[in-house]
Structures are given as structure tokens and as C-alpha cells.
Amino acid sequence: MNYIILSILFGLIPILQIFIKGWLFFGISLILYIISYQLLKNKGKKLFSFLAGTILGSEAIALLFGFTNFFILFYLIVVSGIFLVAANEEKKIDMIKEYINNNNFDTKKWKYYHLFFGRGEITSLEEVGKLLSATFAIGENNIAYSFKMPNGDYFKNIISKKDIEEYNLYDIKGKQEIYYVKMQDLFLPNRRLRTLHKPYLESFCLTISTKDGEIISFYEEPDVLQKIVKELDEL
């Protein structure tokens, strides 16, 4: 799939205002932009930059020919800004791809993730707040990860599957703070209501041990970590 062409096509969504007006355009375009984010994430900075630029260019054309309005203009400027922020985050994917390429691997054969990284075993949810934002990649019988150190430099590393002693997905728990139900909870959904009956909160962490004794941990949503474990199994 040519993702550059795909990002440009999604960027042309403002042109749909020729045929679709008002709230209907807002609803359809929002759904399409959510889909575009899911398709383009973890593919690098360039794609989101193309998408944001094409959205603004398309809306400028729509504004020039008078088939848009200032509400939609403001909405599309906000959307473009969000994609530019995503593009900045995707620079981390580009960096680890460059590192993988410099180590003579084919970057197209790897899968990439945004995770949180820590050294040693994470034992509680309270420790998650101390983890560092990181990028993780897996492919060609290796894993790679990268994170920004306090001095501003990026630490990058590749670990071969044969150097991994074991990996485990295990549950971590955190204390449940007391939550007093508010009047607004009768009208607005609140995620806390689903866990009020639990004395603790529970999530999962992925720990990887190497044969030289190093232990590293990664944290994200359980479904993401389960996907990575499955890919580790298949290496």
C-alpha cells in the first residue's frame, strides 16, 4: 500500500464539501480522519505532515471558491494541528527506523509501537508514572527500542531473539483512590464508575529478560502488549 498517496487522498476530504454540507460533512469527515489516523500511525512523520498540509491546501481551495464556512475552517485547522502534533510524535518512529536500517535490517519487515519503557521489573501501577516514553520495534528475529535520556540524547538498542532468556506478560496492581459519586455522573459517562467496587486497579506489563541478566519492561494497553507477545512467539 502506498501510504503517501493514501495520506494525500485523506487530505482531500475538504473538497467533499462540494457535495456534502453542514453537520453531515462534519460527521463523515471526522470518521474518515479517525480511520486515517489508525491507518497512518506508526508509519513515520512524513505521512501525517502530508495529510495536514493537504487538508489545509484543500480547505484553502474550498474557501477560495466559497463552498465552506468559518466553522468548518476552524474545525479543519484544529484537525490539521492534531495531525501535526502526531507527525512530531512519529519522528520517534523515523529515528528507530534509521537505526534499524543502519544495522543492515529491512525496516519494512518490522512492526512499530509507541510504548513506555523502564529498567527492571515494574511491580505496581504507581511505578508506571516513572516510565519513559519509548518506541519499540519487532522483526527479523530481533527487537529494538529507543527512548530519550535526561540529557536529551536517545538511547537505542537491538536485542536478538536468541539473546532473550524469557518474556512474560504479567498483571500489576495499584491502589484504588476513594471516589465520591457526583451529580454529573447521573448524566455524563464516567470510567471510574466501572471500578468503584474494586479495592485496587489492575493492568498488565511486559517484561523481557536477556541472557546477560538485563531486565527491561514495557507498558501499554493490554491488547497492544498481547499483540507484541504473539509476535515474539512467532519470531
Side-chain angles (χ1 to χ4, degrees):
M1 181 182 294
N2 192 318
Y3 288 102
I4 292 180
I5 293 177
L6 189 63
S7 66
I8 293 174
L9 289 176
F10 276 115
L12 294 175
I13 288 173
I15 303 299
L16 292 177
Q17 293 176 86
I18 298 175
F19 313 102
I20 306 171
K21 302 292 183 182
W23 288 106
L24 183 59
F25 169 78
F26 174 79
I28 292 175
S29 64
L30 185 59
I31 292 171
L32 291 175
Y33 286 134
I34 292 172
I35 293 172
S36 70
Y37 176 79
Q38 294 299 323
L39 290 174
L40 300 178
K41 69 178 181 179
N42 299 334
K43 300 294 190 300
K45 175 183 178 181
K46 184 192 302 182
L47 299 178
F48 281 127
S49 298
F50 270 121
L51 178 56
T54 309
I55 290 173
L56 292 176
S58 300
E59 179 61 7
I61 293 173
L63 193 63
L64 181 65
F65 287 94
F67 53 85
T68 187
N69 58 60
F70 286 103
F71 170 77
I72 295 295
L73 173 63
F74 176 76
Y75 153 67
L76 291 174
I77 289 175
V78 171
V79 169
S80 298
I82 292 172
F83 282 129
L84 286 175
V85 171
N88 186 61
E89 187 69 14
E90 289 296 299
K91 285 196 304 184
K92 299 175 183 177
I93 297 292
D94 292 332
M95 291 173 61
I96 200 168
K97 281 185 176 180
E98 182 181 2
Y99 178 68
I100 289 169
N101 182 65
N102 290 340
N103 281 272
N104 301 314
F105 292 106
D106 184 355
T107 57
K108 294 181 181 179
K109 295 181 180 179
W110 293 61
K111 292 185 179 179
Y112 304 89
Y113 300 90
H114 290 286
L115 304 178
F116 293 93
F117 167 85
R119 295 195 182 277
E121 185 174 310
I122 307 304
T123 58
S124 69
L125 279 174
E126 285 76 18
E127 294 181 55
V128 169
K130 302 177 184 178
L131 299 183
L132 300 173
S133 176
T135 49
F136 179 90
I138 181 168
E140 296 186 280
N141 291 315
N142 292 270
I143 65 169
Y145 61 94
S146 170
F147 61 89
K148 189 175 183 179
M149 296 185 293
N151 65 359
D153 294 333
Y154 277 84
F155 177 87
K156 308 180 187 73
N157 191 27
I158 292 178
I159 302 175
S160 171
K161 175 67 182 290
K162 68 178 186 296
D163 293 326
I164 296 177
E165 183 71 31
E166 64 176 348
Y167 51 91
N168 295 293
L169 186 63
Y170 63 96
D171 63 327
I172 52 177
K173 297 177 181 178
K175 294 180 181 179
Q176 170 81 297
E177 295 181 4
I178 296 176
Y179 178 77
Y180 298 98
V181 179
K182 301 178 178 63
M183 183 65 69
Q184 66 189 36
D185 294 331
L186 298 174
F187 307 98
L188 300 175
N190 191 322
R191 294 176 61 186
R192 289 294 306 275
L193 295 179
R194 295 181 296 176
T195 61
L196 285 181
H197 63 288
K198 296 182 178 181
Y200 56 83
L201 298 176
E202 188 174 26
S203 189
F204 292 88
C205 191
L206 170 64
T207 292
I208 299 175
S209 305
T210 63
K211 291 182 178 178
D212 61 4
E214 183 182 20
I215 299 176
I216 54 177
S217 297
F218 296 96
Y219 175 79
E220 241 303 334
E221 291 294 327
D223 57 333
V224 175
L225 296 180
Q226 287 175 336
K227 187 183 297 184
I228 292 174
V229 168
K230 183 178 179 181
E231 290 166 356
L232 282 167
D233 292 338
E234 295 172 351
L235 282 181

